[in-house]
Amino acid sequence: MNKKTNFLIFLLAISCGAVVANIYYAQPIIQFISADLHISSNFSGLLTTLTQIGYGAGLFFLVPMADLYKSKRIIVFLLGLTILSLIGALLSTNGFLFLFIVTIIGIGASAAQMLVPLTMKIVPKEEAGNYIGKVMSGLLIGIMIARPFSIAVTDWVGWRMVYFFSFLLLVSILLLLLKFLPDFEVESNLGITYPALLRSMVRVLFDTVPLQQRAFYHACIFATFSLYWTVMPILLRSESLRFSNNEIALIGFVAIAGALLTPYIGKLADKGYIYFMTNVSIGLVILSIVLLFFVRDHSFISIVLIVISGIILDIGVAGNMLLGQKVIYSLNPSIRNRLNGLYMTIFFLGGAFGSWVGSYSYYQFSPEAALLFAIAFPILALLVHIWKGNVTLTKAIG
């Protein structure tokens, strides 16, 4: 593989991570943004919920457009829209206006899912899996590093500087993409209109049972993931635990180590252990929440439990997403982009729901209530997978 190709893959990976990170910056710093913009606790959860809803809307309504029009033009437009929205976030002094802005930021972040498929046009087909994995690694690192980064920056220089850094990063990436990303032609003319393309996605969803099930499993898992990172920073700053922002950021950075183990899950999936590893991945998410019930203070044992909880949560979530993609990518290649768009849309909507439930239940009831919701989602996914998963999986890839 020549240097130009390796550079393009690296650029795609960095771009995906930088774009998608914008969905998650606000999650652990809701308290600071809400206080500054006078957003009540009842509405504070919308800061992350609306961002993820915007992202889901972009996945469903905009990503399929890459089957009809040149993807580079759509990507450039969405990055420009995100950059303008980040300027709005920096200057915003009104809570309701800020909620609108973060929704637009979420829509713009859907450009990440147009960048990933471009890998297929850059590398030889026989090496595509390896390089798609590298690009997806960039996306996952962006998701996982966004929260501890935003906590650390907020503690040092304030929450607005998080969005200023993102603004500078996205401007740099936009310039690099304009200069180096080829303006690929649309591979095939579907001969249909945009409304017809959207209608076909609805048919794909209703006709594809493996997609329905894998999307449901990961929607539940991602609801817990989003709830976890919405509630945990608030919980750790509480009177009983008294963690500093730097300590919370450090815990978040350490938890990223869990993502390093996900390739091993992929190798086991390649050997046919998808059903078993799905149960393991969901089980790890359940265990990550169970451990938090034993966190009572700022002791060494509590810190160890929190770190282990974060690591195994990331392993379970990233592993389950990888397993889900392996299943849906084994289905009809002619509708693969639409399958991916639907899969991503559904589970990110699950994440949006989890963020809202976490914030609402924490403030209206108790931290324990939020944790009970966090554990209920993956238990439901596990029960459905044990009941239906093996039969459907055999039909899908057997």
Side-chain angles (χ1 to χ4, degrees):
M1 196 65 63
N2 59 47
K3 291 183 179 179
K4 181 180 178 181
T5 300
N6 283 328
F7 171 75
L8 283 175
I9 294 299
F10 177 75
L11 179 59
L12 290 181
I14 294 295
S15 299
C16 284
V19 170
V20 83
N22 286 284
I23 307 172
Y24 302 99
Y25 285 137
Q27 276 190 359
I29 56 173
I30 286 176
Q31 287 173 302
F32 302 98
I33 298 174
S34 298
D36 192 20
L37 300 180
H38 308 292
I39 301 173
S40 71
S41 59
N42 288 338
F43 291 99
S44 62
L46 291 176
L47 286 172
T48 52
T49 300
L50 289 176
T51 311
Q52 291 177 320
I53 288 175
Y55 185 64
L59 290 173
F60 187 85
F61 291 104
L62 299 181
V63 170
M65 291 177 67
D67 285 337
L68 300 178
Y69 309 103
K70 290 184 177 181
S71 57
K72 181 176 180 178
R73 298 178 185 179
I74 307 172
I75 291 166
V76 167
F77 170 77
L78 289 175
L79 285 180
L81 182 66
T82 305
I83 288 168
L84 290 175
S85 300
L86 289 170
I87 295 173
L90 276 168
L91 302 176
S92 181
T93 57
N94 181 279
F96 287 103
L97 176 61
F98 190 83
L99 291 173
F100 172 76
I101 289 171
V102 296
T103 305
I104 303 301
I105 289 174
I107 293 172
S110 65
Q113 290 305 323
M114 298 182 194
L115 289 163
V116 176
L118 291 180
T119 310
M120 298 290 292
K121 300 182 180 183
I122 295 173
V123 303
K125 186 176 181 180
E126 62 272 13
E127 299 182 60
N130 176 36
Y131 285 95
I132 288 176
K134 292 181 179 181
V135 175
M136 285 301 296
S137 293
L139 186 144
L140 288 171
I141 290 172
I143 291 174
M144 294 176 182
I145 206 171
R147 297 174 183 86
F149 173 81
S150 69
I151 293 171
V153 172
T154 298
D155 190 56
W156 296 332
V157 288
W159 68 266
R160 292 181 190 271
M161 292 304 294
V162 176
Y163 291 96
F164 180 67
F165 170 83
S166 181
F167 164 77
L168 294 179
L169 183 59
L170 287 194
V171 168
S172 302
I173 285 173
L174 178 59
L175 294 175
L176 288 171
L177 290 175
L178 283 169
K179 182 174 178 61
F180 295 107
L181 185 66
D183 192 16
F184 295 108
E185 295 291 334
V186 178
E187 286 190 10
S188 61
N189 188 347
L190 298 177
I192 61 174
T193 63
Y194 174 68
L197 182 70
L198 293 182
R199 288 195 297 270
S200 74
M201 290 182 69
V202 176
R203 289 197 300 272
V204 167
L205 176 60
F206 280 98
D207 293 343
T208 314
V209 175
L211 169 65
Q212 296 169 12
Q213 293 192 355
R214 295 307 311 196
F216 173 76
Y217 304 150
H218 206 62
C220 291
I221 297 303
F222 212 65
T224 294
F225 182 76
S226 296
L227 188 157
Y228 184 101
W229 287 112
T230 298
V231 169
M232 275 297 288
I234 305 171
L235 180 61
L236 293 178
R237 295 186 191 106
S238 65
E239 284 296 321
S240 59
L241 299 181
R242 302 185 310 280
F243 280 77
S244 70
N245 282 338
N246 285 335
E247 288 174 319
I248 297 170
L250 183 60
I251 289 169
F253 280 118
V254 172
I256 295 170
L260 301 177
L261 298 178
T262 53
Y264 296 101
I265 296 177
K267 290 179 181 180
L268 290 170
D270 289 337
K271 295 179 180 180
Y273 296 106
I274 295 176
Y275 177 79
F276 173 74
M277 290 311 300
T278 298
N279 288 336
V280 170
S281 296
I282 298 174
L284 288 174
V285 175
I286 295 171
L287 178 60
S288 72
I289 305 302
V290 170
L291 291 177
L292 297 181
F293 283 96
F294 298 94
V295 174
R296 299 295 180 186
D297 49 32
H298 200 133
S299 66
F300 175 76
I301 293 176
S302 291
I303 293 172
V304 170
L305 289 174
I306 293 168
V307 170
I308 294 174
S309 170
I311 290 174
I312 64 175
L313 176 74
D314 283 353
I315 296 172
V317 172
N320 192 68
M321 184 171 77
L322 182 153
L323 294 163
Q325 287 177 311
K326 182 172 178 60
V327 171
I328 65 171
Y329 288 167
S330 69
L331 304 174
N332 188 347
S334 66
I335 58 171
R336 187 168 292 161
N337 287 328
R338 279 168 278 180
L339 288 168
N340 187 50
L342 288 164
Y343 178 66
M344 295 285 179
T345 300
I346 293 168
F347 85 65
F348 270 97
L349 289 176
F353 181 69
S355 294
W356 176 79
V357 167
S359 179
Y360 183 83
S361 59
Y362 182 93
Y363 285 114
Q364 295 299 318
F365 301 106
S366 66
E368 289 77 15
L371 293 179
L372 287 174
F373 275 111
I375 205 169
F377 294 133
I379 287 176
L380 178 60
L382 182 62
L383 292 175
V384 174
H385 184 253
I386 292 172
W387 177 36
K388 292 279 191 178
N390 208 17
V391 175
T392 305
L393 182 62
T394 302
K395 292 179 180 178
I397 63 176

